[in-house]
Amino acid sequence: METEQNRAESTASTTTDDAQAMFNKHLATYRKIVGENLMFHREVYGLLRNQLSEEIPKPFKFLDIACGDAVASAGALKGSAIDHYYGIDLSPQSLDLARESLKDLPCPIDLWCCDFVEAMADWSDTVDVVWIGMSLHHLQPEGKVRLMKNVRDILSRDGLFMIWEPTLLDGENRDEHFDRFSAYRGVWAALTDEEFATMEAHMRLADFPESADTWKTMGREAGFSQAEQIFLMPNRFGRVFQYRN
């Protein structure tokens, strides 16, 4: 006869298996997007690499917020003067992959499995570069500014904060932004209908993009003296901004 303990262990195992299956499914979709360069990862992380080379005093400490599997970051950091890598992500599976992606970096690597908002509220170590890609937009406006303030508090005097985020066109509202994305279905032919529909549903539920002017204004509200756009994705769905003290 099945005991309560056996049932609990069976349920836990099923839940873990389901979570891993869901993670693998989302990872496969993400890797299609990256592989086909649908979100211009190559250009964005090439830009990050150039900024690290040209703008940052050597050596530098790098904080990767919502780092995911860190494959793109590892590529951008390869051959750089990185002195310490810190990564934050909520997914233990992603951090397992990140650990493998980052293993060749010639520096200490610290990975933190936690909510990045909570992590940044408690962070105290000074870093030289903070990077967040396609994650800050999940927060409401006050949350975005609060996180930016927390970043500013730990950034070295000559440090650099960079974000890559969905951005509204001038005069565009949130629904219009998503409708514009829906119209790109044909361009995203590498994704199945199910994958595209899942991605679009997630965006409409959890994404809160801002206009370019608002992204820059939020940085100034957080206390940065410099806030500028440095890259516009060719499809105009997202931009890279950088901030300095």
Side-chain angles (χ1 to χ4, degrees):
M1 180 178 292
E2 187 179 35
T3 66
E4 289 292 339
Q5 181 178 352
N6 288 339
R7 281 196 294 271
E9 290 175 351
S10 177
T11 300
S13 176
T14 299
T15 301
T16 300
D17 290 345
D18 289 346
Q20 185 64 51
M22 184 63 69
F23 174 81
N24 291 340
K25 186 175 182 179
H26 290 323
L27 179 63
T29 301
Y30 170 74
R31 287 184 168 169
K32 279 187 185 181
I33 292 169
V34 174
E36 296 291 330
N37 205 34
L38 297 174
M39 291 290 288
F40 302 97
H41 279 74
R42 287 198 288 270
E43 289 80 359
V44 169
Y45 281 88
L47 174 67
L48 173 60
R49 182 181 181 87
N50 290 340
Q51 293 299 99
L52 295 175
S53 174
E54 298 172 5
E55 302 288 337
I56 301 301
K58 301 178 181 181
F60 61 88
K61 293 179 172 60
F62 185 90
L63 173 56
D64 199 353
I65 299 176
C67 63
D69 64 12
V71 170
S73 293
L77 292 165
K78 184 178 180 181
S80 73
I82 187 168
D83 181 59
H84 202 132
Y85 175 96
Y86 302 92
I88 302 170
D89 202 272
L90 191 59
S91 165
Q93 297 100 325
S94 290
L95 292 178
D96 286 342
L97 296 174
R99 195 168 287 108
E100 180 67 19
S101 301
L102 298 161
K103 66 180 182 181
D104 292 332
L105 291 185
C107 67
I109 296 168
D110 287 324
L111 300 176
W112 302 83
C113 187
C114 55
D115 179 90
F116 69 78
V117 173
E118 296 175 1
M120 293 310 302
D122 294 332
W123 198 276
S124 58
D125 293 342
T126 299
V127 295
D128 303 297
V129 182
V130 179
W131 167 258
I132 182 167
M134 291 291 163
S135 295
L136 185 57
H137 65 278
H138 293 310
L139 305 181
Q140 295 296 326
E142 62 275 12
K144 295 181 177 93
V145 174
R146 188 180 308 114
L147 186 127
M148 288 179 163
K149 287 180 179 178
N150 290 336
V151 168
R152 183 180 177 276
D153 288 343
I154 64 165
L155 205 61
S156 61
R157 186 179 66 176
D158 297 324
L160 181 64
F161 176 38
M162 299 176 65
I163 69 172
W164 170 36
E165 298 295 338
T167 305
L168 304 174
L169 299 178
D170 290 345
E172 184 178 58
N173 63 35
R174 184 170 176 264
D175 286 338
E176 290 168 343
H177 175 85
F178 299 138
D179 290 344
R180 182 161 57 93
F181 177 78
S182 297
Y184 262 66
R185 174 66 187 103
V187 179
W188 288 54
L191 268 60
T192 66
D193 288 342
E194 179 187 2
E195 289 169 335
F196 189 86
T198 298
M199 182 175 181
E200 183 180 359
H202 167 80
M203 291 169 59
R204 290 185 182 272
L205 176 67
D207 287 12
F208 300 94
E210 307 288 352
S211 69
D213 285 345
T214 300
W215 282 123
K216 289 183 283 189
T217 297
M218 285 178 167
R220 288 188 285 267
E221 288 177 1
F224 290 100
S225 62
Q226 300 178 37
E228 60 179 325
Q229 175 185 312
I230 60 172
F231 181 73
L232 169 65
M233 289 164 55
N235 61 15
R236 303 192 301 163
F237 283 114
R239 308 179 192 216
V240 177
F241 302 87
Q242 71 176 19
Y243 307 86
R244 288 187 178 274
N245 287 324

